Every structure is written in C-alpha cells, then in structure tokens.
C-alpha cells in the first residue's frame, strides 16, 4: 500500500498539487503551515509587537489566511496584534451572506473585527454604482474602492502592515495579464511579496496554491463563504485563469514558473518610475494628482449630473479613529 511521502507511515489523503508528493492529512496541514511560516520569515514580513490588519472577505483565501496567521502567531511566537478588516461593498445577496461568515470566524478566532462600507466611505453601494457605470466596469470600480477602503481600515486600527490573501494562482494571473497587456511597469510590482504605500501590503500566500488552500479549509473544517458575485461577468482575468489551467495540465510547475518569470523582470534604472504622491483631494497615496478612487467618483458624479460630491469628504490624513 502507498504511504505518505513525508512521514512514510500514514495512508496518503492527497497528491499535493504544488509538489506532486503523496501526503497524509496531518503532514499536509503541518507542511502547508510550515511553508507559509518560511515565506513570512524569508521575507521578514513582521516585527515583534507589530499591529497588523488582515483583509477578510469571508471567501476561502482570507478565511484560511486569518486562521493560519493566528495559529502561527501563537505557535511561532510572532507577537502580533491582529485585527480583521472586512469591506461591505453593498452587493445584496452576495456580500450580506459573507459578512455573517466573517463575523462567525472572527468570534471563533477571538480577533477584533471592523467592517467598513462603500456607502459610508464613498456615498454609494455597488448596487447603486453598477447601473451608473455599467456592469462591464463594475470590477474596476469595486477593485479601486475596495483597495482604498482596506487602506482606510488598516489606518483606523493603526496597523503597520496589511496582510492580504493573494495566492500563487492570483499572482501568476496578474503577471500574465500585465505581460499580455504590455504593462511592464507593473510586472515587477505584481510579484513583490511586500507592496508599497503608506501601509505596506504583505502576501504570505505568494507561493501557496489555491487548490491547497481549499484542501486545508476542508481538512480543518473551516467555514467560508462560497458564492459568485452577480457582477462578475466576462472578466479578462477569467480567460487568463483558463489559459494557466491548461498549461498546468501538462506541467504542474507552470504556476510557479510564471511567478519566477515575473521575478526576473527588472526595470532599468534610466526608465522613469511612477511618482509616489498624495491625492490632492483625499490624501491617499497615488501616482498622479488625484487617486483612482477620486477620479472614478468624479466620473460618476459628472455622468449622472450629481452636483454634490459623493464620498469626497473622506480624508486619509491625521484623522481620528472614529471608533
Ligand atoms: Fe467587486 Fe467584481 Fe468582485 Fe463583484 S466580482 S465583488 S463587482 S470585484
Ligand atoms: Zn483621492
């Protein structure tokens, strides 16, 4: 009978998508966590006593992320002060369900949670934005606003790092998308484990396969929200994902190879880099006079003849914690 390639005694429960090795349940959980710990240590993500924020959406990635970071924080003695931040985009039938799951997990992990809504921050829910911007642009608006909302949340809880659940599949897709669009400026940034900005974003799942995240959630019986957003139509990312899945059929290494290829791209020193400025409207870090969220909000206002600026009263600098 075949045995687990790690402990050599137990019956294998799976063939690891990442390594192709046979693995029993206990060894899988152990090595899955150890590899994430290695990424955290190799990239020196945290310092003792640091306050960190985990962006949690209720989906598999961020649910497993919160669970593993909390577990490693205790077992490896990171000394982190962990806060959870959830963003309510205002998508009925989708986000309301996941908020319930987030609250349950926060309680289970005994971690403080803050929930920020698009309505409060930007004056509109996604359900109100989509008829104005068109469903084909919904993910652009949602992505820009969510990114800024997470920064806002991290700032509110005085976090010095924002931990996100981007996994190896997401990163490989982003590398390939940037490559296909010829966006070479973004290529090196997409593989960086620590992103820029006022509050750096760190990605402990940089080398973690999505399939293994699902396995881990199943083995640990974690509860996560699994539904597709009604506005997720025809995203370019979906095509790139299928392309990578096809490549993986022939070669499981394809995913990591794409990430490594991205890591080899370096922008020459004489190439002009994006500026790091503050938005003149809201103070958020950006590369132009105004940040993307403010530009999109203005566009919504203009196209819909709204005279009163929506959401622009949000200030990102020196603001008191409203809690
Ligand atoms: Fe937002 Fe698009 Fe994701 Fe829906 S699919 S939550 S609109 S980014
Ligand atoms: Zn702005």
């Amino acid at each position: 009978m075949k045995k687990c390639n790690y402990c050599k005694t137990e019956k294998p429960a799976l063939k690891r998508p990442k390594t192709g090795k046979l693995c029993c349940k206990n060894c899988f959980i152990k090595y899955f966590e150890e590899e994430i710990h290695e990424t955290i240590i190799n990239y020196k993500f945290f310092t003792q006593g640091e306050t960190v924020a985990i962006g949690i959406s209720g989906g598999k990635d961020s649910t497993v992320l919160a669970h593993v970071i909390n577990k490693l924080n205790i077992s490896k003695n990171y000394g982190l002060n962990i806060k959870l931040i959830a963003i309510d985009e205002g998508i009925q039938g989708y986000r309301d369900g996941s908020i319930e799951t987030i609250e349950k997990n926060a309680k289970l992990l005994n971690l403080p949670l803050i929930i920020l809504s698009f309505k409060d921050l930007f004056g509109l829910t996604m359900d109100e934005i989509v008829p104005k911007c068109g469903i084909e642009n919904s993910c652009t608006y949602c992505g820009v606003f969510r990114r800024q909302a997470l920064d806002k949340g991290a700032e509110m809880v005085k976090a010095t790092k924002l931990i996100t659940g981007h996994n190896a599949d997401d990163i490989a897709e982003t590398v390939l998308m940037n490559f296909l669009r010829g966006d070479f400026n973004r290529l090196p940034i997409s593989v960086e484990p620590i992103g820029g900005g006022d509050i750096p974003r760190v990605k402990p799942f940089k080398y973690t396969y999505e399939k293994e995240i699902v396995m881990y959630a199943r083995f640990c019986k974690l509860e996560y929200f699994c539904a597709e957003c009604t506005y997720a139509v025809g995203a370019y990312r979906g095509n790139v994902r299928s392309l990578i899945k096809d490549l993986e059929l022939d070669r499981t290494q394809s995913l990591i190879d794409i990430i490594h290829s991205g890591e080899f791209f370096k922008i020459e020193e004489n190439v002009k880099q994006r500026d790091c400025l503050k938005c003149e409207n809201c103070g958020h870090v950006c590369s132009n006079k105004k940040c993307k969220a403010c530009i999109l909000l203005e566009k919504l206002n203009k196209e819909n003849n709204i005279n009163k600026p929506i959401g622009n009263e949000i200030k990102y600098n020196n603001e008191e914690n409203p809690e």
Side-chain angles (χ1 to χ4, degrees):
M1 195 185 70
K2 285 186 176 159
K3 301 276 185 203
C4 166
N5 291 154
Y6 294 85
C7 65
K8 319 258 187 261
T9 51
E10 294 298 313
K11 196 172 147 228
L14 78 153
K15 188 175 172 184
R16 286 192 69 183
K18 186 171 173 177
T19 57
K21 285 189 179 173
L22 295 173
C23 199
C24 70
K25 184 180 150 186
N26 287 343
C27 284
F28 174 73
I29 292 173
K30 181 178 156 196
Y31 285 93
F32 180 92
E33 291 168 358
E34 278 300 322
E35 286 165 17
I36 291 160
H37 172 62
E38 256 172 50
T39 306
I40 290 171
I41 297 302
N42 286 346
Y43 287 119
K44 300 186 176 64
F45 278 163
F46 311 124
T47 49
Q48 274 279 337
E50 200 172 7
T51 297
V52 297
I54 301 179
I56 186 157
S57 69
K60 60 181 181 349
D61 298 311
S62 59
T63 303
V64 171
L65 179 74
H67 186 88
V68 173
I69 296 292
N70 190 50
K71 197 168 171 188
L72 290 174
N73 190 34
I74 299 163
S75 65
K76 307 286 184 186
N77 201 16
Y78 293 163
L80 298 176
N81 178 18
I82 305 173
K83 317 272 185 184
L84 300 178
I85 298 173
I87 307 301
D88 181 359
E89 299 93 342
I91 304 173
Q92 252 202 12
Y94 171 65
R95 188 51 82 213
D96 32 5
S98 64
I99 296 278
E100 256 177 55
T101 315
I102 293 169
E103 283 170 336
K104 265 193 210 165
N105 277 308
K107 218 170 170 185
L108 190 80
L109 295 170
N110 197 20
L111 292 174
L113 164 73
I114 64 159
I115 303 172
L116 296 179
S117 72
F118 276 15
K119 184 79 177 172
D120 288 342
L121 291 175
F122 307 110
L124 292 168
T125 62
M126 270 313 283
D127 287 337
E128 290 165 337
I129 292 172
V130 176
K132 300 183 200 301
C133 73
I135 193 163
E136 66 284 3
N137 297 315
S138 52
C139 295
T140 305
Y141 279 79
C142 188
V144 168
F145 291 156
R146 186 166 10 148
R147 203 181 154 80
Q148 206 166 111
L150 274 173
D151 281 343
K152 178 74 187 159
E155 196 185 300
M156 278 179 175
V157 298
K158 298 190 170 49
T160 41
K161 298 272 163 54
L162 176 59
I163 314 175
T164 66
H166 290 97
N167 59 43
D169 298 57
D170 299 326
I171 295 171
E173 285 158 17
T174 310
V175 168
L176 210 52
M177 275 163 68
N178 287 334
F179 185 79
L180 294 172
R181 287 177 182 146
D183 196 346
F184 289 95
N185 245 316
R186 281 178 196 250
L187 244 174
I189 307 166
S190 54
V191 289
E192 272 172 15
I194 306 181
D198 273 352
I199 302 167
R201 290 171 177 242
V202 300
K203 302 171 194 161
F205 283 173
K206 185 183 169 191
Y207 298 114
T208 309
Y209 278 41
E210 190 175 86
K211 283 184 200 137
E212 297 206 349
I213 292 172
V214 177
M215 284 295 193
Y216 183 90
R218 220 173 78 191
F219 286 151
C220 294
K221 298 191 170 57
L222 303 184
E223 192 181 325
Y224 63 86
F225 187 73
C226 191
E228 184 148 25
C229 167
T230 28
Y231 304 130
V233 284
Y236 186 50
R237 184 174 283 274
N239 299 332
V240 173
R241 186 171 301 159
S242 319
L243 184 66
I244 297 177
K245 292 270 173 276
D246 283 347
L247 292 171
E248 276 189 292
L249 290 177
D250 275 344
R251 198 174 140 74
T252 36
Q253 270 291 98
S254 300
L255 204 71
I256 293 293
D257 285 349
I258 295 170
I259 297 177
H260 286 326
S261 303
E263 287 169 341
F264 283 120
F265 277 92
K266 293 273 173 288
I267 299 177
E268 282 189 29
E269 279 172 20
N270 57 2
V271 175
K272 193 179 178 310
Q273 299 284 308
R274 281 164 202 259
D275 293 324
C276 189
L277 307 169
K278 296 256 174 181
C279 169
E280 60 182 26
N281 199 29
C282 72
H284 194 258
V285 176
C286 60
S287 52
N288 290 303
K289 278 187 175 175
K290 281 187 189 169
C291 72
K292 264 194 182 168
C294 284
I295 294 171
L296 290 179
L297 278 172
E298 276 179 16
K299 203 165 164 240
L300 277 179
N301 284 343
K302 213 166 154 193
E303 285 172 5
N304 294 281
N305 290 323
I306 300 170
N307 292 324
K308 184 182 154 288
I310 36 178
N312 292 352
E313 70 276 11
I314 298 294
K315 293 285 177 211
Y316 284 84
N317 288 329
N318 309 320
E319 192 184 63
E320 286 300 311
N321 186 343
E323 274 180 306

